[in-house]
Amino acid sequence: MTILADDKVTAAASTDANHAAPDGFNLPALSALTIGERLINPDDVPWIPYVPGVDVKPLRLNRKTGLWVNLTRVAGGGTVSRHYHGSAVVGYVLEGSWHYIERDWVAKPGMMIWEPPGDIHTLVTGSEGTTSLFLMEGPIFYLNDDDQVVAFDDVLTFTKMYLDHCAAHGITPIDLDY
Amino acid sequence: MTILADDKVTAAASTDANHAAPDGFNLPALSALTIGERLINPDDVPWIPYVPGVDVKPLRLNRKTGLWVNLTRVAGGGTVSRHYHGSAVVGYVLEGSWHYIERDWVAKPGMMIWEPPGDIHTLVTGSEGTTSLFLMEGPIFYLNDDDQVVAFDDVLTFTKMYLDHCAAHGITPIDLDY
Amino acid sequence: MTILADDKVTAAASTDANHAAPDGFNLPALSALTIGERLINPDDVPWIPYVPGVDVKPLRLNRKTGLWVNLTRVAGGGTVSRHYHGSAVVGYVLEGSWHYIERDWVAKPGMMIWEPPGDIHTLVTGSEGTTSLFLMEGPIFYLNDDDQVVAFDDVLTFTKMYLDHCAAHGITPIDLDY
Amino acid sequence: MTILADDKVTAAASTDANHAAPDGFNLPALSALTIGERLINPDDVPWIPYVPGVDVKPLRLNRKTGLWVNLTRVAGGGTVSRHYHGSAVVGYVLEGSWHYIERDWVAKPGMMIWEPPGDIHTLVTGSEGTTSLFLMEGPIFYLNDDDQVVAFDDVLTFTKMYLDHCAAHGITPIDLDY
């Protein structure tokens, strides 16, 4: 890591107009303004059936930024149908494997996948299925064979799905909007 | 600003296992890794007709992150029809005024507007029209009166529109993908 | 814009396992989950003396993401001393002009400037001074002539500066944490 | 998921000025503008000694946005000394456990941790050590007992560390700048 040398720091501060705040506030003062951290225990969030063979467990649903993070569990041979992401996506494989039928690589445990806006792909698992972590921003569009958008999801649709699922199953939802 | 006091910095660094890099690299070394900055002159980008009464001038079209930034010029009485943003949007009014017909405030020069994912609105200008700067992430969906999506735009559609416009008018496009 | 034409949408939805939610929720339902937008009137935020010759007017201070947006007004011949940004910065010139003494370009009204993480520069204005909008993420480090960090600012230091300034001048602060 | 109903789509597009682009470009055309995805195999990146008891394996080092993603492996009883993040951080525990000595919770496998800008903490592992995934934006500051900054790291220091480590060990670095 970069070590910050110290000599002349005070001198610089006292002689440079842009550093003329010798009695400035400090980190303890900032701590009073720092908001709280969040710890999400996956046991506190149910698996929610998404489409046949695919369950999702949301870990973050930020309605201010549009970020949404899910564990996605796909049964062996399952599919997440052809889609287009409006923003970039990051995936991290926890178990099993999957691939996109449009690509020639296979995502395996420990691998990180980054997909740019506009990437169109169809996720298919190996026979063992997979559990992966997906960090998304903004909407996902599902496409038909004619490249037309037939459905979408985003942080709001997933928030609604989560709340509806909890209501239907007598589960108290936790706050995932962070 | 916060002034970093200097005494004991080296000592702390040399006695704490997590700071044991007294000969670490420094900022000049990092400069060699820093990529170049960008300066966009609006005179180098044409106004592109978007819909009747609305012209756009893209200033940034980042195909990695999905960020897109436009100057949007709407003629007096012009409209940007009803739409839904999949991610948050920031607007900053440069000239004239506009409002959303779904809201009771009016955006005037110098005002900053932040819209969360999912905000649905229809932009209408005052008689003088407006020029505003909009910073967007991810897609915008246009909606019909039944709240169904009938069209969308994003960083890729605007990149295509920009390149097509340049090709049609003999303009050399500049690199806005930063 | 891209038109989402389609005469087979319902059929696709009903026959594709990944689209099997024909009675799904819709945009009006999502509207109930959408949080409110924000409109910031610059007249509601004071100019705050930052260093001699430089005043700032914060328009956004997001303590969750670290985003902070300021109007920065620099008097003719004024300087923002040599600094390093830990994340990318976007600037947009509203009035006057400025340049970095380390660069050979001049930023003028309407120009957009993007600076990558690590960019080190010293802002100097022309004789007419400048007002520019700066959108930042994360800290700015001020450096001495030996490339050592002598001070820093970020969303929290600016939040404290804003609140302290308001308290000292009997101003009621508005909520800029969005 | 939300199904996009289709009736009246064309009609809306042809009658509304803001949708008057019936021969607009479409998704296949956009595909030509979409940049390539990335798959990072952790076997292609070495573990790099960071401080005694802590090794890191960078998976992403984005010099444009300041995002940096690491696997962090801490030996049993190991420590990442007291620090301050300038932007938000997301952690996801893969193996073992850790906690912050300033907090009363313990992070275990499968848990997601979000930390706001300014959060100050000292990471300590349980006896079994831990491997966790950390997604960061912008700098981390290391602090001494007097709350003064004594060192920092960011995407650039980690890029340098990665390149230096590869050079020293005859490893060909892969491109992590995505």
Side-chain angles (χ1 to χ4, degrees):
Chain A
M1 65 193 66
T2 296
I3 300 299
L4 309 179
D6 57 329
D7 53 306
K8 300 185 185 174
V9 170
T10 302
S14 62
T15 60
D16 181 335
N18 277 105
H19 299 143
D23 57 348
F25 43 87
N26 52 24
L27 294 173
L30 300 181
S31 295
L33 296 171
T34 304
I35 60 177
E37 86 282 6
R38 295 295 310 274
L39 177 76
I40 303 298
N41 185 337
D43 295 342
D44 293 336
V45 184
W47 283 105
I48 304 172
Y50 182 49
V51 292
V54 182
D55 299 314
V56 293
K57 184 190 286 259
L59 300 181
R60 185 176 191 183
L61 296 168
N62 188 319
R63 292 181 297 161
K64 265 194 173 175
T65 61
L67 288 169
W68 45 311
V69 177
N70 299 300
L71 291 175
T72 300
R73 186 175 66 186
V74 186
T79 297
V80 178
S81 70
R82 191 156 171 272
H83 57 273
Y84 173 108
H85 292 281
S87 296
V89 175
V90 169
Y92 184 80
V93 185
L94 297 170
E95 297 176 358
S97 69
W98 53 266
H99 67 282
Y100 290 135
I101 59 174
E102 297 84 358
R103 300 287 186 277
D104 58 9
W105 44 260
V106 176
K108 297 179 180 174
M111 291 188 184
M112 175 161 282
I113 300 91
W114 174 83
E115 304 158 4
D119 205 50
I120 297 177
H121 41 240
T122 310
L123 187 152
V124 183
T125 68
S127 60
E128 77 281 28
T130 188
T131 302
S132 293
L133 180 70
F134 285 104
L135 301 100
M136 287 171 284
E137 298 183 54
I140 178 174
F141 299 158
Y142 290 96
L143 306 176
N144 66 13
D145 293 340
D146 296 324
D147 281 319
Q148 299 299 328
V149 178
V150 291
F152 82 98
D153 274 312
D154 65 6
V155 65
L156 295 176
T157 69
F158 262 54
T159 296
K160 185 169 191 314
M161 183 174 70
Y162 172 53
L163 297 177
D164 286 352
H165 180 87
C166 287
H169 293 78
I171 299 169
T172 301
I174 65 171
D175 179 13
L176 295 175
D177 189 350
Y178 66 93
Chain B
M1 64 192 67
T2 297
I3 300 299
L4 309 179
D6 57 328
D7 53 308
K8 299 185 185 174
V9 170
T10 303
S14 62
T15 59
D16 180 335
N18 276 105
H19 300 142
D23 57 349
F25 43 88
N26 52 24
L27 293 173
L30 300 181
S31 294
L33 297 170
T34 304
I35 59 178
E37 85 282 6
R38 295 295 310 274
L39 177 76
I40 303 299
N41 185 337
D43 294 341
D44 293 336
V45 184
W47 284 105
I48 304 172
Y50 182 50
V51 292
V54 182
D55 299 315
V56 293
K57 185 191 285 259
L59 300 181
R60 185 176 190 183
L61 296 168
N62 188 319
R63 292 181 297 161
K64 266 194 170 175
T65 61
L67 288 169
W68 45 310
V69 177
N70 299 301
L71 291 175
T72 299
R73 186 175 65 187
V74 186
T79 299
V80 179
S81 70
R82 193 157 171 271
H83 57 274
Y84 173 108
H85 292 281
S87 297
V89 175
V90 170
Y92 184 80
V93 184
L94 297 170
E95 296 176 0
S97 69
W98 53 265
H99 66 282
Y100 291 134
I101 58 175
E102 297 84 357
R103 299 288 185 277
D104 57 9
W105 44 261
V106 176
K108 297 180 180 174
M111 292 188 184
M112 174 160 283
I113 301 92
W114 174 84
E115 304 158 5
D119 205 50
I120 297 177
H121 42 239
T122 310
L123 186 152
V124 183
T125 68
S127 59
E128 77 281 28
T130 188
T131 301
S132 293
L133 180 71
F134 284 104
L135 301 100
M136 287 171 283
E137 298 183 54
I140 179 175
F141 299 157
Y142 290 96
L143 306 176
N144 66 14
D145 293 341
D146 296 323
D147 281 320
Q148 300 300 329
V149 179
V150 290
F152 83 98
D153 274 312
D154 66 7
V155 66
L156 295 176
T157 69
F158 262 53
T159 297
K160 185 169 191 314
M161 183 172 71
Y162 173 53
L163 297 177
D164 287 352
H165 180 87
C166 287
H169 293 79
I171 299 168
T172 301
I174 65 171
D175 179 12
L176 295 175
D177 190 351
Y178 64 93
Chain C
M1 66 192 69
T2 297
I3 299 299
L4 311 177
D6 197 6
D7 49 18
K8 293 183 181 172
V9 172
T10 304
S14 61
T15 59
D16 180 335
N18 278 105
H19 300 143
D23 57 350
F25 42 84
N26 51 24
L27 294 174
L30 299 181
S31 294
L33 296 171
T34 304
I35 59 178
E37 85 284 4
R38 294 296 309 276
L39 177 77
I40 303 298
N41 185 337
D43 295 341
D44 293 336
V45 184
W47 283 105
I48 304 172
Y50 182 49
V51 292
V54 182
D55 299 315
V56 293
K57 185 190 284 258
L59 299 180
R60 184 176 191 183
L61 297 168
N62 188 319
R63 292 181 298 162
K64 266 194 173 177
T65 61
L67 289 168
W68 44 310
V69 176
N70 300 300
L71 292 175
T72 299
R73 185 176 65 187
V74 186
T79 298
V80 178
S81 70
R82 193 156 169 270
H83 58 271
Y84 173 108
H85 291 282
S87 297
V89 175
V90 169
Y92 184 79
V93 185
L94 297 170
E95 297 177 359
S97 69
W98 54 266
H99 67 282
Y100 290 135
I101 58 174
E102 298 84 358
R103 301 287 185 277
D104 59 7
W105 44 260
V106 176
K108 297 180 181 174
M111 291 189 184
M112 175 160 282
I113 301 92
W114 174 84
E115 306 158 5
D119 205 50
I120 297 178
H121 42 238
T122 309
L123 186 152
V124 184
T125 67
S127 59
E128 76 282 27
T130 188
T131 300
S132 293
L133 181 70
F134 285 103
L135 302 99
M136 288 171 282
E137 297 183 54
I140 177 175
F141 299 158
Y142 290 96
L143 305 176
N144 67 14
D145 293 340
D146 297 323
D147 282 320
Q148 299 299 330
V149 178
V150 291
F152 83 96
D153 274 312
D154 66 6
V155 67
L156 295 177
T157 70
F158 261 54
T159 297
K160 185 169 190 314
M161 183 172 71
Y162 173 52
L163 297 177
D164 286 352
H165 179 88
C166 287
H169 293 79
I171 299 167
T172 301
I174 65 171
D175 180 13
L176 296 175
D177 190 351
Y178 65 94
Chain D
M1 66 193 68
T2 297
I3 299 298
L4 309 179
D6 58 327
D7 52 308
K8 301 185 182 174
V9 170
T10 303
S14 62
T15 59
D16 181 335
N18 278 103
H19 299 143
D23 57 350
F25 43 85
N26 52 24
L27 293 176
L30 299 182
S31 295
L33 297 172
T34 304
I35 59 178
E37 85 283 6
R38 295 294 310 274
L39 177 76
I40 303 298
N41 185 337
D43 295 342
D44 293 336
V45 184
W47 283 105
I48 304 172
Y50 182 49
V51 291
V54 181
D55 299 315
V56 293
K57 185 190 285 258
L59 299 180
R60 184 175 192 184
L61 297 167
N62 187 319
R63 292 181 298 161
K64 264 194 173 177
T65 61
L67 288 169
W68 45 309
V69 177
N70 300 300
L71 292 175
T72 299
R73 185 175 67 187
V74 186
T79 299
V80 178
S81 70
R82 192 157 170 271
H83 58 272
Y84 174 108
H85 292 282
S87 296
V89 175
V90 169
Y92 184 80
V93 185
L94 298 169
E95 296 177 359
S97 68
W98 54 265
H99 67 282
Y100 290 136
I101 58 174
E102 297 84 356
R103 300 286 186 277
D104 59 7
W105 44 260
V106 176
K108 297 179 180 173
M111 291 188 184
M112 174 160 282
I113 301 91
W114 174 84
E115 305 159 5
D119 205 49
I120 296 177
H121 42 239
T122 309
L123 186 153
V124 184
T125 67
S127 59
E128 76 283 27
T130 188
T131 300
S132 293
L133 180 71
F134 285 104
L135 302 100
M136 287 170 284
E137 297 183 53
I140 177 174
F141 299 157
Y142 290 97
L143 305 176
N144 67 12
D145 292 341
D146 296 324
D147 281 319
Q148 299 299 330
V149 178
V150 291
F152 82 96
D153 274 312
D154 66 6
V155 67
L156 295 176
T157 69
F158 262 54
T159 297
K160 185 169 192 314
M161 184 173 69
Y162 172 53
L163 297 177
D164 287 351
H165 180 87
C166 287
H169 293 80
I171 299 167
T172 301
I174 65 171
D175 179 13
L176 296 175
D177 190 351
Y178 65 94

